[in-house]
Amino acid sequence: MNESARVAVVGAGAVGLTTAFDLAERGARVTLFERDVPGRGSTGRAAGICYDAYAEDIDAAVAGSAMDRFRSLSGEGGFAFHETPYVFLAREGDDAAAAALEESVERMRVHDRAVSLVGADELGDRFPIRTDDVLLAGVAENAGWADPAAYVDLFVEQCESAGVAFRVGDAVTLRTDPPAVAVDDVVTARFDAVVVAAGVHSRRLLADAGHPIALKPYRAQALVADCDYRGPTVYDATDESYLRPHPGGVLAGDGVEPVEPDPDDWDPTADDWFVADALDGVRHRTGIDGFDEAGEAAAEADQSDSAWAGLCGATPDRNPLVGAVAEGVYVAAGWHGHGFMWAPAIGERLAEAVLGDGRERIPAAFDPRRFDGDEEFAVVEGMTLDGD
């Protein structure tokens, strides 16, 4: 495909915006379709945690590329990448998690990741967190966090500067032979290629066009507690929860529900049980107990600014779906919560795949056609020790 190709991108989250910009930078004429406000979907509810501490070589390479780009972007506009070590730990009594953690760290080191194994005392000497219940921990140095909203703002601006045409407010359907985008069943334009990066809605869009994909939505939750936390990002594998520094104090999550919600009819507010559990987890790990009022406020009915839920996409093997589903039709979805973290690298690879420039190839393990699209599978959250 020549560099002046006409390409439609559906979905203006972190992955869609990055892909649109990278396509336009390579000479493509890009139209970006978004039914809501850019970044309002899964990206706007992402935790913003970034690291390259993966046991699989493919994941480590993609995440490492993304980290490099996050750093190169830091300081542009209002975007900043905050260097913050990533600690993942197993508690006393959880021998299975400790064994999985140790094995994962060994595999990470094979891929030259800057990761170390530490005990409770060493962890406590380095970081201001509670460690008396820690059996074993890993510390990844190449890690940090960023504000997803600031990333979206930056790439909206960069897309506009690169000549990307925005079509905001229209729900679309797809045509695939040849590639086209329709609004109210009326084809707006035909394209040389269409990239679907609409999060969990990618499944319906592609299924309606005759190309089902193996993707399921699941609901995850997070909150921000008002306190003074200056420690690392922490993933507690025993409790299956995480926290990271945040300008408002500390951001904490998981609250994952391993069931499939209706992506068009789900509850974006956090559950009371999650708010209580998350605040208890923050108190336990940080030793901070000065945010009771904030926690109580978050449990109120209208809590979207301080506690929320979002939809993530799952696949049968926990690898994303990135690549062609038909001639000229591409998808980028199924991130298991890692879409924002990988967006800088995936956008570049996908743009090059669409235009036929394979300098940074999409891994074969991400090929969406490895599945038929009708598979039955259980939802597994993204932040775990197995396969990280």
Side-chain angles (χ1 to χ4, degrees):
M1 191 176 297
N2 61 55
E3 292 183 347
S4 61
R6 297 186 64 193
V7 183
V9 177
V10 180
V15 173
L17 284 164
T18 310
T19 303
F21 171 73
D22 288 339
L23 283 163
E25 280 288 280
R26 288 161 172 78
R29 294 172 292 166
V30 182
T31 302
L32 181 55
F33 293 85
E34 169 56 52
R35 72 175 186 174
D36 202 335
V37 176
R40 181 69 64 85
S42 296
T43 296
R45 296 170 180 271
I49 296 171
C50 308
Y51 55 81
D52 71 348
Y54 288 88
E56 293 294 333
D57 56 348
I58 295 169
D59 299 342
V62 172
S65 295
M67 295 285 290
D68 290 342
R69 193 169 182 187
F70 275 130
R71 290 190 173 96
S72 71
L73 292 167
S74 190
E76 293 190 30
F79 179 76
F81 180 77
H82 304 269
E83 302 282 352
T84 307
Y86 170 56
V87 172
F88 43 108
L89 62 86
R91 296 192 191 188
E92 290 281 357
D94 193 351
D95 294 338
L101 189 155
E102 186 170 9
E103 180 183 354
S104 293
V105 168
E106 290 176 359
R107 293 170 63 194
M108 292 171 192
R109 287 172 170 169
V110 169
H111 309 313
D112 297 323
R113 303 301 100 175
V115 183
S116 57
L117 277 174
V118 298
D121 292 342
E122 185 177 351
L123 189 66
D125 288 342
R126 182 173 175 187
F127 300 115
I129 57 174
R130 177 179 176 178
T131 62
D132 63 338
D133 64 338
V134 173
L135 175 59
L136 188 66
V139 180
E141 305 296 342
N142 189 27
W145 62 270
D147 178 12
Y151 185 91
V152 167
D153 290 344
L154 173 62
F155 270 85
V156 167
E157 180 180 333
Q158 290 194 339
C159 281
E160 290 174 341
S161 297
V164 174
F166 281 78
R167 287 286 301 269
V168 175
D170 293 325
V172 305
T173 55
L174 305 180
R175 307 290 187 270
T176 60
D177 189 17
V181 175
V183 176
D184 295 328
D185 286 330
V186 177
V187 173
T188 61
R190 300 198 183 278
F191 296 91
D192 297 299
V194 175
V195 176
V196 181
V200 297
H201 300 285
S202 301
R203 181 178 68 174
R204 175 185 54 78
L205 285 167
L206 287 165
D208 289 348
H211 299 284
I213 57 173
L215 179 69
K216 282 186 179 182
Y218 67 92
R219 188 167 171 266
Q221 304 179 70
L223 62 76
V224 173
D226 183 9
C227 62
D228 183 15
Y229 176 68
R230 304 182 186 184
T233 295
V234 180
Y235 171 62
D236 185 331
T238 301
D239 191 49
E240 297 184 339
S241 63
Y242 65 82
L243 59 84
R244 73 154 172 88
H246 185 276
V250 61
L251 187 153
D254 241 355
V256 167
E257 297 176 337
V259 295
E260 184 176 352
D262 182 344
D264 294 311
D265 184 19
W266 60 284
D267 187 359
T269 58
D271 299 327
D272 291 347
W273 67 263
F274 162 73
V275 172
D277 286 355
L279 292 174
D280 284 346
V282 172
R283 291 188 188 96
H284 174 84
R285 189 57 57 199
T286 68
I288 299 171
D289 196 21
F291 47 82
D292 285 8
E293 291 184 2
E296 292 172 1
E300 297 295 330
D302 185 11
Q303 34 145 288
S304 58
D305 289 338
S306 54
W308 62 90
L311 292 184
C312 300
T315 68
D317 60 4
R318 294 184 58 210
N319 282 330
L321 309 173
V322 186
V325 298
E327 184 68 28
V329 181
Y330 299 79
V331 66
W335 307 109
H336 285 264
H338 295 181
F340 174 74
M341 189 191 310
W342 287 13
I346 293 297
E348 184 174 41
R349 283 166 169 77
L350 193 50
E352 293 180 354
V354 171
L355 298 178
D357 181 353
R359 288 174 298 177
E360 293 287 350
R361 293 188 180 277
I362 298 170
F366 296 176
D367 188 339
R369 290 172 293 191
R370 68 188 185 274
F371 301 117
D372 294 329
D374 58 358
E375 287 80 3
E376 292 294 330
F377 61 96
V379 170
V380 179
E381 64 177 296
M383 191 175 277
T384 64
L385 291 176
D386 288 338
D388 272 3

